[in-house]
Structure formats: structure tokens, C-alpha cells
């Protein structure tokens, strides 16, 4: 792969569509994504709003936006408990570091992603003049062939203190071997380490079958799925002692009182685990 992940750009486009098409309050306030994406992507959203309001696209958009909002809420709670390190696995075009709230200045943020995807993102950051915050480190890693542990040892990452980790929209593209290697690393980190990840259930894969086919056509097929029971078992096998799933009731609270018709996704498939 010599360019950024097409599916990562697609997820970023959905976050941009939320900024441009949905009402207020925003589930996720992300003005940075409107600058970071290529102008042609933003123009496509603006010129084709009906495409993004179709049921399939709307459901996927709420899933993508909600997973980021929930993760950032959980991150703030972890910060309040004393965590000062934040790893974003498969960061893609995530923008938290560039729109971070004042409380996050004491975090050290590590964006981990495939070297080619990360290089394209850094090029866009430079082209658009988006400022790189001093508390950010870029860590290039290929999940299938590289060691996250080895890569982080080249940074200021502290293995002896807990860390909050986000792993969103990535597992379904990885082999089980790569997933196990990553969970083995994260589950062995300092006690109190927290992980929020999303996973694909087979029913969800069927539900989003056209999107799955589109991802395969782009060379990024959905290859790994979990039931919630299998996901919990996997996490506990790798050292996580507390595992909780994001419920439909929790999701519904984020959408209470909306007047734009935006609905919570039917299956969020978000899990929060603690070492």
C-alpha cells in the first residue's frame, strides 16, 4: 500500500459529513477534519448530500461518529483517574490531537498507523498548515509484520504507567495472528491500562454487506469477526480483567432530544476493557 487506507479516508469522510449535514449539537465537534481531507472529498459531500442521507450511509455515519465520541468521553474519564498516555492504534485520519481540549495538554498522544497511511496524513497536515501539538508522537507500525512494543521503545512511551488505548475500526481488517499479537502487548501493560475497541460481528458484516463488498473492492476486505462472547473471551485471555460492552441504552442517551432525525446505530459493537 503506497497511499492512505481508503477505508480510513472513508471513515473520515463520514465524520466530515456529520459536520456538514447533521444538526446541532454535534455528536463529535470536528472542524479539523474539514481541513485535513482533500477538498474534492468535502466538495463531494456538499454536492451530493442525498447520498449521505441514505439509510445505509446514515447508519454507518452514526456508528463512526459515535465510536469516536464514546472513546473520547472515556478518555477524559481515564484522565480524571490519572492516566497521562493515549495510544491511537490505526489512527488513520483521527483528529483528536489537533483539536484537543485544554485538559488534554498533559496527555502524551501516540498515533500508531501503517507507515504509508501515516506519511500521507502527515503530508496533508503540512499542506494545510494544521499545527502539530508538542504532546504528539507519530509511531509507524505495520500490525501484520511489526512489533508495537519495539516501535514504542523508540519514543517517550512509559511502559510502567497505565495508558488509554483506542482501537477503532481496525480489527475486521486484521488477521487473528495480528490481533492476538496486539492484544498480548496491550494486555501486558501496566495495571489500570484501558482499551476501547470496535469489532465486527458476523451479523453486522451481513447487515453492511454492500459496504463490506466495497471495502473488498478497495483491497481492504473484512476478514475477522467476533461474537461478543468470543470478544470478551479473547480480551480476558490476554490479561484484561474487566470487560464491558457499550449498550443500546448508552447509545440512545447520545441521541436524546435530537431534531434532525439522526438515529443511533443498531449495533455499535464497542467494548471497553481494563487491565
Amino acid at each position: 500500500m503506497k497511499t492512505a487506507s481508503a477505508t480510513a479516508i472513508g471513515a473520515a469522510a463520514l465524520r466530515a459529513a456529520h459536520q456538514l449535514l447533521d444538526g446541532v449539537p454535534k455528536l463529535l465537534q470536528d472542524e479539523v477534519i474539514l481541513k485535513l481531507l482533500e477538498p474534492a472529498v468535502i466538495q463531494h459531500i456538499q454536492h451530493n448530500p442525498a447520498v449521505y442521507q441514505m439509510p445505509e450511509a446514515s447508519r454507518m455515519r452514526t456508528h463512526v461518529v459515535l465510536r469516536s465520541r464514546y472513546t473520547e468521553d472515556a478518555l477524559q474519564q481515564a484522565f480524571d483517574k490519572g492516566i497521562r498516555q493515549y495510544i491511537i492504534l490505526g489512527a488513520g485520519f483521527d483528529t483528536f490531537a489537533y483539536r484537543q481540549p485544554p485538559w488534554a495538554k498533559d496527555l502524551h498522544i501516540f498515533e500508531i498507523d501503517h507507515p504509508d497511511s501515516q506519511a500521507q496524513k502527515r503530508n496533508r497536515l503540512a499542506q494545510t498548515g494544521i499545527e502539530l501539538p508538542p504532546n504528539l508522537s507519530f509511531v509507524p507500525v505495520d500490525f501484520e509484520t511489526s512489533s508495537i512494543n519495539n516501535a514504542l521503545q523508540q519514543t517517550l512511551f512509559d511502559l510502567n504507567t497505565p495508558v488509554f488505548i483506542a482501537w477503532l475500526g481496525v480489527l475486521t481488517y486484521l488477521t487473528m495472528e495480528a490481533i492476538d499479537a496486539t492484544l498480548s502487548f496491550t494486555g501486558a501493560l501496566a495495571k489500570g491500562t484501558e482499551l476501547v475497541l470496535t469489532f465486527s460481528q458476523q451479523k453486522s458484516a451481513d447487515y453492511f454487506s454492500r459496504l463490506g463488498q466495497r471495502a473488498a473492492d478497495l483491497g481492504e476486505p473484512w476478514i475477522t469477526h467476533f461474537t461478543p462472547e468470543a470478544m470478551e473471551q479473547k480480551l480476558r485471555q490476554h490479561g484484561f480483567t474487566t470487560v464491558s460492552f457499550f449498550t443500546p441504552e448508552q447509545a440512545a442517551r447520545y441521541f436524546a432530544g435530537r431534531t434532525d432525525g439522526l438515529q443511533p446505530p443498531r449495533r455499535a459493537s464497542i467494548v471497553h476493557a481494563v487491565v
Side-chain angles (χ1 to χ4, degrees):
M1 183 174 66
K2 296 183 179 179
T3 59
S5 161
T7 53
I9 293 174
L14 291 173
R15 296 204 311 275
H18 179 58
Q19 305 305 307
L20 295 169
L21 304 179
D22 295 327
V24 292
K26 303 297 183 187
L27 293 175
L28 185 74
Q29 195 71 42
D30 188 359
E31 297 295 331
V32 174
I33 197 63
L34 301 178
K35 293 178 61 180
L36 185 58
L37 287 170
E38 295 280 355
V41 177
I42 302 303
Q43 291 166 8
H44 184 270
I45 298 168
Q46 293 172 325
H47 296 159
N48 301 277
V51 172
Y52 292 86
Q53 298 294 11
M54 294 175 65
E56 183 182 72
S58 180
R59 287 192 291 264
M60 182 56 79
R61 180 166 74 255
T62 55
H63 168 70
V64 166
V65 174
L66 181 60
R67 72 190 186 191
S68 291
R69 170 63 185 277
Y70 170 77
T71 298
E72 292 178 17
D73 285 351
L75 171 64
Q76 184 171 5
Q77 293 170 8
F79 181 89
D80 291 342
K81 291 183 286 188
I83 286 180
R84 293 296 181 269
Q85 301 185 108
Y86 179 31
I87 289 176
I88 310 174
L89 293 173
F93 274 51
D94 186 274
T95 60
F96 177 81
Y98 320 100
R99 53 176 172 80
Q100 56 183 288
W103 60 262
K105 304 302 181 184
D106 289 333
L107 276 177
H108 195 137
I109 303 167
F110 301 87
E111 285 197 11
I112 298 180
D113 206 0
H114 190 284
D116 295 332
S117 289
Q118 194 166 88
Q120 185 161 338
K121 180 179 184 178
R122 297 187 70 170
N123 286 338
R124 282 297 300 162
L125 289 165
Q127 290 168 6
T128 57
I130 296 172
E131 184 177 354
L132 302 185
N135 60 337
L136 170 66
S137 294
F138 291 105
V139 187
V141 171
D142 184 332
F143 289 101
E144 295 289 352
T145 61
S146 306
S147 165
I148 296 174
N149 190 14
N150 291 344
L152 282 171
Q153 286 182 15
Q154 311 305 313
T155 73
L156 296 175
F157 183 72
D158 185 355
L159 281 167
N160 299 311
T161 61
V163 55
F164 186 94
I165 305 167
W167 201 10
L168 308 180
V170 179
L171 265 69
T172 193
Y173 302 102
L174 299 179
T175 63
M176 194 65 76
E177 290 76 14
I179 293 170
D180 280 325
T182 301
L183 289 178
S184 178
F185 165 71
T186 56
L189 291 171
K191 185 174 177 59
T193 288
E194 299 186 30
L195 169 66
V196 171
L197 63 80
T198 59
F199 62 99
S200 169
Q201 299 185 50
Q202 189 62 54
K203 287 182 180 179
S204 294
D206 295 338
Y207 183 63
F208 293 122
S209 58
R210 281 181 288 178
L211 294 171
Q213 184 57 54
R214 198 174 307 155
D217 292 342
L218 292 169
E220 300 175 40
W222 296 356
I223 60 175
T224 302
H225 310 288
F226 291 91
T227 63
E229 295 77 13
M231 188 77 260
E232 179 172 0
Q233 182 181 32
K234 177 73 69 176
L235 288 163
R236 293 188 183 279
Q237 285 174 345
H238 284 289
F240 291 90
T241 60
T242 302
V243 179
S244 57
F245 291 86
F246 188 60
T247 66
E249 291 75 21
Q250 287 175 290
R253 287 199 290 270
Y254 282 97
F255 293 81
R258 297 199 68 87
T259 59
D260 57 3
L262 202 63
Q263 298 291 320
R266 297 179 184 178
R267 298 183 183 88
S269 297
I270 302 172
V271 61
H272 186 177
V274 182
V275 173

